[in-house]
Structure formats: C-alpha cells, structure tokens
C-alpha cells in the first residue's frame, strides 16, 4: 500500500529485526510465486505487518531458510518459507494494487492516467493468478466495493476527515480479518480498521502541500475550514493547531489499535509480538510525527 | 476447554507466590475496563480478564492461599437532568446508535454546548477522534465554566499524551513523554472524576 506501517528499527532486538527482514524477503518470494514476478515490485512494509498479525491470529509458525534471490544475487539472506499467511498477504497485495489502479484510471489525469492504463493488463494478470493460487477471491469484491464507496464520498465532498478514513479503515479491516474465526476476526478487524485510518490520514498529511499547489484532491483541503493551511514564505503549509489536533486524534486511534493488538500478543511467539508492539507504539506514531512536521514546513528532527 | 492457569498468567509452574501476584497485577492493570472505555472489543477484554481472574483463583486455590482478586469495575453514573438526559441514559447503556439518532435530529437551534459535548462523546465512541475534538472544543468554547466538558477535553489530551508511555518506559528507550509529570498528575486528577461521567 503505502509503506507507512513500519517498525522503529533502533528499538528492535537484533533477532527481532532478523525475523522482520526474513518475513519481508519471504513475502517478496511468495509474491513472485503466487501472483507473478511483476507483483514483487508492489511489495511494501505494510504487508509485513499484515503477515505478522495474521500468523499471530492463526497461530501458524514460521520456518526459515537462507538463499539468494534476484534482488540479492550474491549475498544469502534469511527468508520465511511459504505459508498460509504469506500466500494470503500476496493475494491481498495483488487485489489492493488492482483496486488502486482502477481508481487511478478513473480519477487521475495526464501521465498518471496513461501509466495506470498501461499497467492494467499486468494487474489483471496478478489478480487472476491470486484467484487461482490463494483462497481469497471474495476479498476482491469487498475491496472494490469499499474503494467505490470511498471515491464516491471524495467526489461529493465531505467536511470530515474521519468519515472517508473510516471507509478506508473498513477496507483494511476486511483485509486483516478475512477468513479468520470469530474472536480473532474481530480483533484483527479492529487492528485493521485503525491501521487503515492511520494510513489514510497519514497519506493525506503527506500529500497536502503538494496537492494544494497542484490543485489536486486532498481530504484535508476539502475540509474547507479556516486555519488548516497557512502561508509561510509564499508556500502553503499545515497549520500548527491542525497538526496538533491530528496528532492527538492519531494517538487516540493508535490506543485502540494497541488495545486490540495486546489481545493477540499475549500467548504469541515473543519476537513476533515484540515487532507488532514496536510498530504500533513507536513506528506508527513516529511516522505520523515525521509526516506532520514535514507538512508544517519544519524539517523533521529524526 | 480449560486453559492451563499458569500459561494464562504467563508464569512458570514453579513460580513463587510473589511472581504470580506480580504477573496477575500486570495483566489486571493492562485489561482494566478503564483502559477499554469506548472500545468495541470491551467484551473480549472482559472475557480475557475473566480468564485471568479464574486462572489466578485456580492457582490460589491450588496453593491453598486465601482469597482471589477481582477486577475493580467502577460503575458509571450520570447527573444530566436537561432534555439531553435521554441521550445520556442511552450512552450509559451502550445504545450509541439510538443516542446518535436523537443527537442528529436535534434542530440546529437547540445545538448548544451540551449538544456539542454529547456529539463529541458519541464520535469518540466511534473512533472519529478528529471530529470529536472539534465538537468538544466547541462545547468548551460555548460554556467555558463547565467542568464536565473541560474534563472530556482533558481526558482526550491525556489519553493521547500518554499513549505508549508504559511501553516506552518498559523498553527504556528514554524518549521523553510530551507531558511533564506534574501536568500529567493534574490532568489525571481531573480525569478520575471524569470517568464517572464517562463518555
């Protein structure tokens, strides 16, 4: 998706970091196998988080191996061998890429539109392979439905950022909880919902300055209130007060996310749980702070 | 299916009574209902807490050591006597969608401070934290002397400011918290009252 969901690496133990990287490599390989070589280019950190949450929910364990790959042909790297969670993540990534692409085809103009049209056959092939190799075909319909809902709301204009964020959150809730038993499904849906909202809001803050310059759609700009954007040295930046409210809201959302994740973490393999905690308690707030201070025109201190 | 009480508490079979008590306290703190106010997974947490309580009970009984501890559930009371009393009652019973219908159908002329406050509470419950802040802020602006609205505002600030605090202290990364200890304590004090008004 966007790569906003990642750990704060300096606070990971070495073996936790190794596990994190091994899942990343394993997912890359799995995408090559399940949804075709081209799909490996769409890999992002967000899906490593998804994969870890899913394995904790199902209680599946990892087997690791070492080997070389196209991206690292000389140095052997540790990776996680194919498993249900990886297969599911690869399929989910393909469905999301396709959904994003069809969105671009209908919403974007100029170069981006052309690029999206050109990439369409590749994406279609990815989802075809995903349908064939993973048991998650109904997920595609759910994603398409939510994306359609989201783009309808964005077109009609909305004076709340929480509403579109929630729709995107519902989409990711579906992705996180698909096919899980009731209890785990609910927990993962809650984690997914907050993660989705986080991604939506962070992405909006990340793009707000650019979008206002190029007159593009951005959910923060379409809030339309006073005091959201302010001019500094002839350029538009996010106002401090809005940034403050945004950070408060994000922390409160992450509190919910952490509350749900704690229910999964107890009794799960310690390393996986430690990575999840690191991502939610440090990685995500850090990412938000960095993005916000950039949008406010302050050079980030990290 | 009965789970092993020791693994529920995450302790060894030959852990000392002290260690068991510590593990139990840690879990009870984590799953305290106050941490899950406005949380849709509250029932799962309650389930988990029950499991923890039972495990602790079983071990205590096994070790023939007196009484068991239980979660300290606070009861919520409301003092609202205005026309919004009904909304407050519905919120206290967890009937949020019904409360929302009344709130959303209130004519704009009646949307004063209390309306803004209750709307903010409902949005908090839904996780619309950005919008919730706006409404609660408006409530405070319209009725600056009202302690309840001020507490709701402080509570959101406090919860946001302390997010991840225990995690950071636990791993000792030494990142400074955005609230200093003093303000935290003051806010905590006001929040204690606020739990009673729980939105």
């Amino acid at each position: 998706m966007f790569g906003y969901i990642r750990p704060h690496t300096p606070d990971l133990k070495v073996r936790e970091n190794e596990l994190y990287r091994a899942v990343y490599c394993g997912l890359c390989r799995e995408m090559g196998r399940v949804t075709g070589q081209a799909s490996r280019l769409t890999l992002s950190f967000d899906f490593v988080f998804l994969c870890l949450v899913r394995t904790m929910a199902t209680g599946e364990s990892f087997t690791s191996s070492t080997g070389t790959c196209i991206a690292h042909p000389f140095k052997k790297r540790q990776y996680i061998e194919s498993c249900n969670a990886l297969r599911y993540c690869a399929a989910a990534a393909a469905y999301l890429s396709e959904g994003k692409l069809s969105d671009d085809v209908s919403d974007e103009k100029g170069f981006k539109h052309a690029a999206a049209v050109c990439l369409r056959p590749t994406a279609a092939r990815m989802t075809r392979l995903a349908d064939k190799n993973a048991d998650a075909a109904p997920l595609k319909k759910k994603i398409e439905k939510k994306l359609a809902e989201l783009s309808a709301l964005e077109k009609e204009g909305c004076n709340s950022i929480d509403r579109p964020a929630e729709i995107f959150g519902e989409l990711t809730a579906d992705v996180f909880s698909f096919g899980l038993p009731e209890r785990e499904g609910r927990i993962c849906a809650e984690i997914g919902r907050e993660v989705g909202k986080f991604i939506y809001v962070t992405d909006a803050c990340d793009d707000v300055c650019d979008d206002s310059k190029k007159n593009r759609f951005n959910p923060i700009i379409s809030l339309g209130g006073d005091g959201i954007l302010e001019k500094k040295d002839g350029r538009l930046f996010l106002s401090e007060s809005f940034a403050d409210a945004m950070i408060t809201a994000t922390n409160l959302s992450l509190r919910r996310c952490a509350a749900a994740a704690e229910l999964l973490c107890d009794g799960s393999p310690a390393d996986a749980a430690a990575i999840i905690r690191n991502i939610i308690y440090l990685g995500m707030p850090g990412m938000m702070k960095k993005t916000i201070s950039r949008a406010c025109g302050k050079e980030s201190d990290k | 299916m009965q789970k092993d009480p020791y693994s529920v508490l995450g302790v060894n079979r030959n852990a000392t009574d002290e260690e068991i008590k510590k593990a139990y306290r840690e879990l009870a703190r984590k799953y305290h209902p106050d941490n899950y106010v406005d949380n849709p997974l509250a029932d799962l947490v309650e389930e988990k807490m029950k499991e923890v309580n039972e495990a602790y009970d079983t071990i205590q009984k096994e070790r023939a050591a007196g009484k068991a501890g239980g979660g300290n559930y606070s009861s919520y009371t409301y003092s609202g006597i205005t026309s919004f009393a009904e909304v407050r009652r519905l919120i206290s019973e967890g009937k949020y969608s019904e409360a929302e219908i009344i709130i959303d159908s209130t004519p704009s002329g009646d949307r004063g401070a209390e309306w803004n406050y209750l709307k903010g509470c409902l949005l908090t419950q839904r996780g619309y934290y950005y919008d919730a802040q706006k409404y609660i802020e408006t409530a405070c602006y319209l009725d600056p002397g009202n302690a309840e609205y001020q507490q709701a505002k402080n509570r959101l600030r406090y919860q946001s400011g302390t997010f991840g605090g225990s995690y950071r202290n636990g791993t000792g990364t030494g990142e400074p918290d955005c609230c200093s200890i003093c303000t935290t304590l003051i806010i905590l004090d006001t929040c204690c009252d606020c739990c009673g008004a729980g939105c």
Side-chain angles (χ1 to χ4, degrees):
Chain A
M1 280 175 276
F2 301 88
Y4 292 124
I5 315 297
R6 46 176 94 180
H8 184 243
T9 341
D11 277 309
L12 283 178
K13 286 193 178 118
V14 173
R15 61 160 199 273
E16 289 159 7
N17 195 19
E18 271 169 10
L19 173 66
Y20 186 80
R21 298 177 63 147
V23 175
Y24 186 84
C25 284
L27 184 56
C28 185
R29 285 166 177 264
E30 187 74 8
M31 286 168 91
R33 259 193 308 269
V34 175
T35 50
Q37 293 303 325
S39 71
R40 294 174 77 167
L41 296 169
T42 66
L43 176 66
S44 100
F45 290 111
D46 304 345
F47 290 100
V48 181
F49 179 77
L50 173 64
C51 181
L52 287 166
V53 169
R54 295 278 303 191
T55 40
M56 278 173 34
T58 56
E60 197 176 8
S61 54
F62 291 128
T63 348
S64 69
S65 306
T66 46
T68 55
C69 66
I70 311 181
H72 309 103
F74 303 115
K75 195 158 182 279
K76 281 192 176 176
R77 284 185 185 240
Q78 226 183 65
Y79 64 91
I80 298 300
E81 279 178 22
S82 174
C83 64
N84 287 332
L86 283 179
R87 199 169 319 122
Y88 173 78
C89 290
Y95 294 142
L96 280 165
S97 309
E98 220 238 338
K100 172 88 181 43
L101 213 58
S102 344
D103 238 31
D104 284 356
V105 170
S106 52
D107 294 351
E108 295 283 350
K109 295 176 199 76
F111 173 72
K112 276 202 170 168
H113 174 84
V117 170
C118 293
L119 284 172
R120 247 188 153 172
T122 324
R125 181 164 174 274
M126 271 157 58
T127 48
R128 239 188 356 260
L129 284 168
D131 286 344
K132 203 177 87 189
N133 293 328
D135 249 354
L139 183 64
K140 193 171 128 188
K141 279 265 159 334
K142 288 186 174 182
I143 292 176
E144 277 168 4
K145 195 173 140 247
K146 290 289 169 204
L147 283 175
E149 227 175 280
L150 186 61
S151 88
L153 182 68
E154 287 179 346
K155 276 207 188 87
E156 118 197 2
C158 172
N159 62 356
S160 156
I161 187 163
D162 288 330
R163 256 175 71 204
E166 191 182 41
I167 296 178
F168 192 73
E170 283 166 1
L171 183 156
T172 43
D174 285 339
V175 172
F176 273 69
S177 63
F178 182 84
L180 291 177
E182 213 247 328
R183 178 179 183 271
E184 281 69 26
R186 278 186 61 198
I187 297 175
C188 288
E190 179 75 2
I191 299 176
R193 182 172 308 116
E194 298 306 336
V195 165
K197 282 159 71 178
F198 177 88
I199 293 175
Y200 189 85
V201 171
T202 314
D203 188 49
C205 292
D206 209 4
D207 298 341
V208 70
C209 301
D210 256 10
D211 287 348
S212 76
K213 209 161 51 190
K214 292 178 188 153
N215 246 335
R216 271 193 312 226
F217 172 82
N218 183 294
I220 294 176
I221 299 172
S222 64
L223 287 178
D226 297 331
I228 292 179
L229 292 168
E230 45 184 37
K231 237 184 178 121
K232 255 192 272 178
D233 314 325
R235 285 179 62 197
L236 277 173
F237 289 110
L238 218 53
S239 78
E240 296 268 339
S241 60
F242 182 81
D244 261 2
M246 214 77 251
I247 285 182
T248 307
T250 309
N251 279 345
L252 290 168
S253 285
L254 286 176
R255 222 171 148 260
R256 282 195 171 189
C257 188
E262 288 295 349
L263 283 168
L264 272 191
C265 285
D266 283 330
S268 292
D271 288 350
I275 299 172
I276 297 286
R277 286 198 176 106
N278 176 298
I279 292 176
I280 296 175
Y281 289 110
L282 296 176
M284 290 164 73
M287 178 59 79
M288 188 64 181
K289 251 187 228 158
K290 213 163 90 184
T291 312
I292 286 265
S293 52
R294 208 182 311 125
C296 286
K298 288 183 288 193
E299 274 319 300
S300 58
D301 23 306
K302 271 185 205 165
Chain B
M1 185 184 64
Q2 188 74 29
K3 281 189 188 163
D4 172 31
Y6 289 91
S7 70
V8 171
L9 294 187
V11 292
N12 237 322
R13 273 202 162 267
N14 42 25
T16 63
D17 287 351
E18 207 42 53
E19 280 166 346
I20 287 168
K21 205 179 250 173
K22 197 173 153 218
Y24 169 73
R25 273 207 201 117
E26 191 69 23
L27 288 168
R29 194 176 51 75
K30 186 154 90 184
Y31 296 119
H32 193 278
D34 283 358
N35 295 334
Y36 291 85
V37 180
D38 309 325
N39 193 306
L41 295 185
D43 58 318
L44 292 186
V45 174
E46 216 172 280
E47 217 171 81
K48 179 90 188 174
M49 195 57 222
K50 219 173 105 198
E51 194 181 292
V52 170
N53 279 333
E54 274 166 12
Y56 185 67
D57 272 358
T58 316
I59 295 176
Q60 293 294 73
K61 270 183 204 144
E62 259 178 35
R63 297 189 172 199
K67 64 179 189 337
N72 181 19
Y73 292 76
S74 51
S75 61
Y76 301 113
T77 50
Y78 286 93
S79 55
I81 41 160
T82 64
S83 56
F84 291 113
E86 173 72 2
V87 176
R88 288 174 183 265
R89 190 182 63 75
L90 290 169
I91 292 177
S92 74
E93 287 169 5
K95 292 176 184 159
Y96 301 111
S97 45
E98 288 167 46
E100 217 154 57
I101 292 170
I102 301 180
I103 282 290
D104 288 342
S105 58
T106 307
S108 53
D110 292 343
R111 299 187 170 184
E114 188 170 18
W115 182 87
N116 275 286
Y117 165 72
L118 291 170
K119 173 88 183 166
C121 292
L122 287 167
L123 288 170
T124 308
Q125 201 280 326
R126 293 185 72 162
Y128 280 28
Y129 291 118
Y130 178 71
D131 289 347
Q133 284 180 79
K134 268 200 313 205
Y135 284 103
I136 291 177
E137 200 83 43
T138 312
C140 292
Y141 172 75
L142 293 174
D143 186 357
N146 189 304
E148 187 185 21
Y149 310 158
Q150 204 61 42
Q151 279 163 1
K153 185 169 135 186
N154 290 343
R155 184 157 150 250
L156 288 182
R157 290 246 175 95
Y158 173 74
Q159 288 183 339
S160 157
T162 54
F163 170 70
S166 60
Y167 174 83
R168 260 165 281 179
N169 295 340
T171 53
T173 59
E175 219 172 286
D177 216 328
C178 60
C179 288
S180 75
I181 295 170
C182 261
T183 44
T184 311
L185 284 175
I186 294 165
I187 297 169
L188 186 60
D189 188 44
T190 49
C191 286
C192 282
D193 307 328
C194 184
C195 293
C199 64

